[in-house]
Structures are given as C-alpha cells and as structure tokens.
Amino acid sequence: MRNLHLMRKLFHGISTMWGVAAQQGLYRCGTHMQQVESFSSAWMLVEDGLIVGLGGEEGFYGVDRANVDEALWERIDLGGVEVLPGLVDSHTHIVFAAPRHEEFEMRLKGESYEAIAAAGGGILNSARKLQAMSEDDLYEQAAARLRTMIAHGTTTVEIKSGYGLTTDSELKILRVVKRLKQDFDIVIKATFLGAHGIPMEFKGEPDKYVDLVIKEMLPKVVEEGLADHVDVFCDRGFFTVEQTDRILKAAAAMGLPSKIHANELGLTGGVQVAVTNGSWSADHLEHCSEVEVGLLVESLRMDYGGTVPVGLPGTSYFLGIPYAPGRALIDAGLPFAMATDFNPGSSPIASLQVVWALGCTQQKLLPAEAFYAITCNAARALRCEKEVGALAAGQRANFFTTKTVDAIKAIPYFMGQNHTHQVFVNGRLFE
Ligand code: NIG
Ligand code: FE
C-alpha cells in the first residue's frame, strides 16, 4: 500500500522531454554522446522528489502513467514547454570576495595570467580579500551567485575552497559551502582546494605550505566533515606533480577522493598524477597530448572506474588560452564533461548554457555531445550520476523547462540568452 502522505506529482504538457534514460546512473562515452534520447508529448511521475516513471509517444520507463490512479496525483500542466534535466556544474569556485576587474584590464593590455599571479596577484589577490571578509558576507555573495546559476538551469554544483590559503580561511569557505548545502535543495558537493596557490610567506619554501595543507588543514577539514573531495592546482608555477601526489595520497588515506586542476598552463604531468591516484576527474586540460588522451582511455579499465576529462571552455575564452581537445577526447571514446570554472580570475561565467555554446563553436562538439558533457558526464565527474544528470526512474526530479523550440540545438545556437523558463528541484518549483 502506498503512503498517502507522499508528495505525488504528475507533470504533463511537455512537448519534448530531453535527456531521458532507461536506467539510473547512465553516462555516455564517445559515439554514445551523439544522440539525445527524448520523449514527445511527454509526462513524468514524481514521488517525494524522485522520478518514478516517465514516458511519451515512444514508450515509457519505470512506472507507466496508465497504471496509476491519476486522482491521487497532483497534476501539473507545464503548458507545452520542452524539458531538460538540471545541468551539472562539476567545477566552480563561487566563494570569493570580489571580482578582479583590475587584472582583467591588465590582461587586456597584454599582461599574462601567469605573470600577474607570479607578482602576487591572481589567486593571492583573491585570498587577501577573502581573508578580510566575514563568513556571513561571503555566504550572501556565494548564495546570490548560486541563485543566478540555478536561474540558468544548473541544479548540481561543486564548490571549491582555495581562496583562503590559511587554515582558518579555508575552513571559513568550507563552512560557507556547508551552509549553502543546508539552505539549498539542489545537490552541492564541497572540494577542499587548500593547494590552490602558494602564499607569499611560503615563497621559496612551497613544501612547507604543502606540509601545512597535509598536516593541519586536511585533518581539520576531514574531522569537521567539510569536504567531499580534495583538489590541487597541479601546474607550472603552482604545485608540482610530487607535491600533488603527496596531497592526494594523504587525502586518500583520510578517505577523501580527488579531482584535480591539470594542465591549464602546460603539459605538466597533471593527468599522470590524477590517473595514478585514481582521481575522479582531471579538469582544464587546455594542454593535452595524445599521451594524456591514451592514459585517460586506459583509466576507464581500472578498478576505480576511470578519470573523467573535464573541459572548462569559459576559462579558455576568458584567458585567451587553448581549448581542451574535447573533440579528440570524445573521439577516443571518453566520457568528456564540461563545467563553468566560475571564479573571479579565469572564468567569471555562471551559465552552463554559455559553456554549452563554447563547447560547440570552439571545441567542435555537436550540440548533443555538449549537452551530455554538462549533464550525466559532469555528474560522473562527481560520481553522482545515479542521482542527477539524466531523467530516469530513481533519479532526482531536477529539471528545467524552456520555451525554446528544439532546445538541444537551439540553446547552444542562440548563445547569450537565458533559455530557462522554470527550474524544478526535487519536483518543486524553484523561486
Ligand atoms: O580553475 N587554475 C586555477 N584556479 C582557477 C583560477 C583561479 C583564479 O585565477 O582565481 C581556475 O582557473
Ligand atoms: Fe578551477
């Protein structure tokens, strides 16, 4: 007997429902990214925030609408819109104190991102401002950014620390993320990125800072249960492969999986250290040769299930650096994913719809491929593909509606508009 107190909703009035899947937890590799599965004249049954059945003219998955007593379900007519799964942003840095307009202008005049960072700007500039800001003020700013992201259709967000660079400030950021998790119904994952930059006090002695990250920060982060993963900016001028390896191994020993910043500024061994340590994802990859592609392909056969390559095209666009070779990574059979990297230095971009468009025009992904890169494959980068990233029985009823017709093709085509009409989180309208 079904519990009558369950929240039961029947969504109908859906011209096309995109991104449906026969089973929970599917993500897509290589050629399987070319076609987006859909139902037309579609409906969806939602019980207590989870999809229990969905279908349309082509058939159904899970519970069939024909087998339920519709009088017991709240019927919600969406009025003929198209529906897409909530987008998944697997890489962001939205807890920051202020934009870096001055550095934007310096770069426009010819200064490089790396030179600005080496002179104490960049991440260190953001860290100085964040250290001086209260947790409440940081929370308000981050919550506003999150609302903007949700308004653009994103309903899963990974958020990194990394603009603290002291134990107290790193914990302050992660406590902000914890509050966001409590206050928002969307899926939020926290990542500890203490190794984001080397503070001035440790200039010339980076290993001492790595010791602080491992011996002081990590244990506190783990003890307070503040992070779901660890991250390291493994790159030229930041953390070496050896330092990254030490941090990932220490984190793994404390039960924290990893996802890392790899090869943004050069071919610096980031993919190698990620694969050796069983990292869930290797993000950036603006520099990525056939060797790295081959290693990522091999990783798919390893026990941990493989490292997802995550491209961040907003960063390439904003910094004017190469784009990750998304086309080659997909052609090699990988579950390529994309994220915004939303941060004040390299990608002040909140919308995955923009990333979708950049994936197509700059990385030559088909609209369908880019769609999977910001939904189920991005969920795989967070190992939460059973919960979010597709519309399937057993997954969360997180989706957005759009009045844009033929959405999979039209959203990345009409770039710069917000195509979202309404956003639903656990079957409830987000307002
Ligand atoms: O992913 N690359 C490292 N971290 C950020 C940028 C940080 C910053 O410039 O503030 C990124 O691009
Ligand atoms: Fe980043």
Side-chain angles (χ1 to χ4, degrees):
M1 234 297 282
R2 282 194 165 151
N3 179 351
L4 288 174
H5 300 293
L6 288 177
M7 177 199 83
R8 285 182 179 156
K9 292 182 178 172
L10 164 57
F11 292 94
H12 64 105
I14 302 167
S15 59
T16 308
M17 187 158 62
W18 299 102
V20 305
Q23 290 162 40
Q24 206 177 342
L26 289 181
Y27 58 97
R28 314 259 171 174
C29 296
T31 51
H32 298 286
M33 294 172 73
Q34 283 169 11
Q35 283 291 335
V36 179
E37 202 185 335
S38 63
F39 284 133
S40 37
S41 302
W43 50 267
M44 185 195 291
L45 293 168
V46 174
E47 206 167 60
D48 259 3
L50 294 181
I51 301 169
V52 293
L54 65 170
E57 281 168 13
E58 298 81 355
F60 70 93
Y61 296 136
V63 176
D64 186 2
R65 178 179 177 177
N67 289 338
V68 301
D69 177 356
E70 290 192 14
L72 298 176
W73 296 69
E74 180 189 352
R75 290 169 55 92
I76 298 166
D77 185 354
L78 293 174
V81 293
E82 297 193 8
V83 162
L84 292 90
L87 306 177
V88 178
D89 202 341
S90 73
H91 181 139
T92 84
H93 308 247
I94 63 168
V95 186
F96 60 85
R100 303 212 299 262
H101 298 308
E102 67 292 358
E103 293 183 6
F104 181 36
E105 295 200 1
M106 284 162 79
R107 284 196 302 99
L108 296 177
K109 288 181 189 154
E111 198 73 79
S112 78
Y113 177 81
E114 281 181 87
I116 293 169
I123 293 165
L124 299 185
N125 176 2
S126 281
R128 280 189 295 274
K129 290 176 183 148
L130 183 137
Q131 287 162 7
M133 186 169 277
S134 75
E135 190 176 310
D136 285 345
D137 287 349
L138 279 172
Y139 173 84
E140 290 308 329
Q141 288 206 48
R145 290 178 195 122
L146 202 52
R147 279 190 286 273
T148 302
M149 295 166 80
I150 298 169
H152 285 79
T154 300
T155 56
T156 300
V157 182
E158 181 261 16
I159 308 173
K160 300 174 193 297
S161 69
Y163 290 125
L165 307 183
T166 64
T167 304
D168 284 351
S169 293
E170 285 294 309
L171 291 172
K172 179 166 72 175
I173 300 172
L174 291 172
R175 289 190 191 117
V176 167
V177 180
K178 186 177 175 181
R179 280 170 68 185
L180 295 170
K181 283 188 182 189
Q182 286 161 355
D183 296 351
F184 286 79
D185 283 342
I186 64 164
V187 174
I188 296 177
K189 300 284 180 186
T191 302
F192 168 56
L193 176 56
H196 195 196
I198 298 156
M200 277 301 179
E201 317 78 277
F202 292 90
K203 212 172 172 187
E205 310 180 292
D207 285 311
K208 287 208 174 138
Y209 182 66
V210 173
D211 287 341
L212 182 79
V213 168
I214 292 176
K215 294 186 183 140
E216 190 175 294
M217 295 186 191
L218 252 178
K220 288 199 172 142
V221 167
V222 171
E223 195 183 295
E224 284 194 43
L226 290 173
D228 301 295
H229 345 85
V230 72
D231 190 347
V232 177
F233 186 6
C234 176
D235 225 315
R236 191 167 69 200
F238 292 84
F239 295 87
T240 65
V241 163
E242 292 71 29
Q243 291 161 346
T244 304
D245 190 60
R246 278 181 63 205
I247 295 170
L248 299 194
K249 288 199 163 54
M254 292 182 226
L256 274 194
S258 58
K259 35 201 291 93
I260 71 164
H261 280 72
N263 297 13
E264 176 182 358
L265 307 171
L267 275 178
T268 49
V271 170
Q272 286 77 355
V273 71
V275 169
T276 319
N277 284 281
S279 297
W280 287 356
S281 70
D283 303 25
H284 274 291
L285 308 179
E286 286 86 349
H287 299 269
C288 182
S289 75
E290 281 172 18
V291 175
E292 279 78 13
V293 177
L295 277 173
L296 290 164
V297 171
E298 273 178 44
S299 80
L300 294 179
R301 290 191 290 273
M302 295 182 188
D303 285 346
Y304 73 96
T307 300
V308 175
V310 180
L312 306 169
T315 306
S316 301
Y317 158 78
F318 193 67
L319 294 186
I321 62 175
Y323 284 81
R327 182 71 270 142
L329 290 161
I330 293 173
D331 290 345
L334 285 156
F336 183 61
M338 295 192 294
T340 61
D341 196 16
F342 190 1
N343 76 76
S346 66
S347 181
I349 293 172
S351 170
L352 280 170
Q353 296 176 42
V354 171
V355 167
W356 190 346
L358 291 175
C360 294
T361 59
Q362 307 303 304
Q363 295 172 293
K364 308 299 172 215
L365 269 55
L366 297 171
E369 293 172 324
F371 163 79
Y372 282 126
I374 54 172
T375 53
C376 55
N377 289 2
R380 175 65 179 166
L382 299 170
R383 295 298 197 262
C384 61
E385 70 275 13
K386 285 203 173 127
E387 203 183 348
V388 296
L391 300 175
Q395 309 231 171
R396 285 193 189 220
N398 289 0
F399 60 90
F400 72 93
T401 68
T402 180
K403 292 186 172 175
T404 300
V405 175
D406 211 355
I408 299 296
K409 289 179 180 149
I411 293 177
Y413 182 99
F414 292 107
M415 180 182 160
Q417 305 175 26
N418 182 7
H419 294 271
T420 300
H421 174 53
Q422 290 181 313
V423 180
F424 289 84
V425 178
N426 301 327
R428 273 193 301 272
L429 181 64
F430 180 85
E431 286 171 304

